[in-house]
Amino acid sequence: MSQSMPWQAYLVIGFTVVFVGGIALIFLYGFLETMWLSRQSVPSRFEKLKTEFDFDKSALPAIAQKLGMTQADRISSNFSREVLNAMPKHFEGAEFLDMLVRKERAGMFLLCNVRRAVKVIVGDSSGERQTRRYLEVDPVTVTAFYLREKPYLPAFVTRPFLDYLSVKLVKLVGRKWCGHPRFKDDPEFHKKLLISTAEPEKVRPVLTERVRNVLKENCDLTMAITGPVIVVYDDGHPVKHIYRKSPEDGETVEDCKILAAKEWPLFYKAAESMIQSLISVHERLS
């Protein structure tokens, strides 16, 4: 006669099945949600163009006059380098187009399009033939400010917060391991924005109530501070920055698109309000 297993064995088997099944469901849910997120984007309040060739360059003189800015053919290498340092890595070596600038006592504003399209030539094993591959990144309209005086503000990034479980987990892990600053009296701020920083205790005094209110009003925009530069742009897909590795040769990255010229004054007004709120904090802390 076959001997039946003790009830403890059935309990262990049942627990194992439930545990393994639960873990499998979590991974499956995470995979499906990641695939879903890869196709989502943050709605933009601005009209975006499909290509840079659709941009109306003839409107720039009128826009510059309206914003109290001047057109420029180039900016300093320090300024351009710092702007790119604050942006995602795939914009390294990008080209600055359609530049408008305005100098202030605290520094200089820049409004422009940033584009990267790098041609990569790859040879075969014999070295005789060469094939051409391209890494293309959609251009993005950027407002940046270059601070003249030290000490600079601590480095951090604010992005639109999408209400998905995997993003919440990233936010929770980041808060635990990186200590992202929390404001218990302002839960709306954390519902709208995701903060990334390695210096939470230094960032907390920068995010005053006024700064947080301005950021909440413009929570669809991404802002990054690195060294002397504050950069603001409309990132069509901020979640990709959580998962994405550096793009490989030949890959197309579709994150940002340049804004139509008629949208520049509205975008600049929003970005400037964010930057000016931080300039006030910088002057107070200096």
Side-chain angles (χ1 to χ4, degrees), residues 128-186:
E128 296 178 355
R129 294 186 303 171
Q130 291 184 333
T131 58
R132 295 174 183 266
R133 303 173 67 190
Y134 292 85
L135 169 64
E136 298 178 357
V137 177
D138 287 339
V140 56
T141 302
V142 168
T143 294
F145 186 81
Y146 191 86
L147 289 165
R148 293 186 185 279
E149 299 178 358
K150 294 183 178 180
Y152 301 133
L153 295 168
F156 67 96
V157 179
T158 63
R159 299 187 181 97
F161 175 58
L162 299 185
D163 193 17
Y164 291 95
L165 177 61
S166 54
V167 182
K168 288 180 178 179
L169 291 175
V170 170
K171 189 174 182 180
L172 178 63
V173 172
R175 189 189 313 153
K176 179 176 178 59
W177 297 107
C178 300
H180 293 179
R182 293 285 296 172
F183 300 92
K184 295 182 179 179
D185 58 340
D186 193 358

Side-chain angles (χ1 to χ4, degrees), residues 45-226:
R45 67 180 119 157
F46 312 107
E47 178 186 343
K48 294 188 177 183
L49 304 177
K50 292 183 178 180
T51 71
E52 63 187 84
F53 304 105
D54 298 323
F55 184 75
D56 183 10
K57 295 179 182 292
S58 65
L60 288 178
I63 294 173
Q65 183 177 15
K66 181 176 182 178
L67 299 177
M69 307 181 82
T70 58
Q71 290 185 261
D73 296 325
R74 60 186 300 273
I75 56 175
S76 69
S77 58
N78 286 340
F79 196 175
S80 60
R81 182 177 63 252
E82 294 293 349
V83 170
L84 295 179
N85 284 342
M87 296 183 68
K89 290 184 179 180
H90 57 255
F91 278 98
E92 182 179 355
E95 182 181 6
F96 289 76
L97 309 170
D98 313 315
M99 291 180 287
L100 304 182
V101 297
R102 190 180 85 222
K103 293 183 179 180
E104 290 194 352
R105 181 181 60 82
M108 185 170 73
F109 275 100
L110 169 68
L111 175 60
C112 68
N113 291 324
V114 178
R115 176 200 64 190
R116 175 178 177 182
V118 178
K119 181 171 62 177
V120 181
I121 301 178
V122 182
D124 62 8
S125 57
S126 65
E128 296 178 355
R129 294 186 303 171
Q130 291 184 333
T131 58
R132 295 174 183 266
R133 303 173 67 190
Y134 292 85
L135 169 64
E136 298 178 357
V137 177
D138 287 339
V140 56
T141 302
V142 168
T143 294
F145 186 81
Y146 191 86
L147 289 165
R148 293 186 185 279
E149 299 178 358
K150 294 183 178 180
Y152 301 133
L153 295 168
F156 67 96
V157 179
T158 63
R159 299 187 181 97
F161 175 58
L162 299 185
D163 193 17
Y164 291 95
L165 177 61
S166 54
V167 182
K168 288 180 178 179
L169 291 175
V170 170
K171 189 174 182 180
L172 178 63
V173 172
R175 189 189 313 153
K176 179 176 178 59
W177 297 107
C178 300
H180 293 179
R182 293 285 296 172
F183 300 92
K184 295 182 179 179
D185 58 340
D186 193 358
E188 183 185 6
F189 178 74
H190 299 287
K191 290 180 180 179
K192 291 185 174 183
L193 293 158
L194 181 66
I195 311 172
S196 302
T197 181
E199 305 174 292
E201 295 308 318
K202 293 182 180 180
V203 170
R204 180 181 294 277
V206 173
L207 296 175
T208 62
E209 182 178 1
R210 176 171 179 260
V211 171
R212 296 199 306 273
N213 287 337
V214 174
L215 294 180
K216 285 186 290 187
E217 292 174 1
N218 301 282
C219 60
D220 55 332
L221 300 179
T222 294
M223 182 182 70
I225 301 177
T226 302

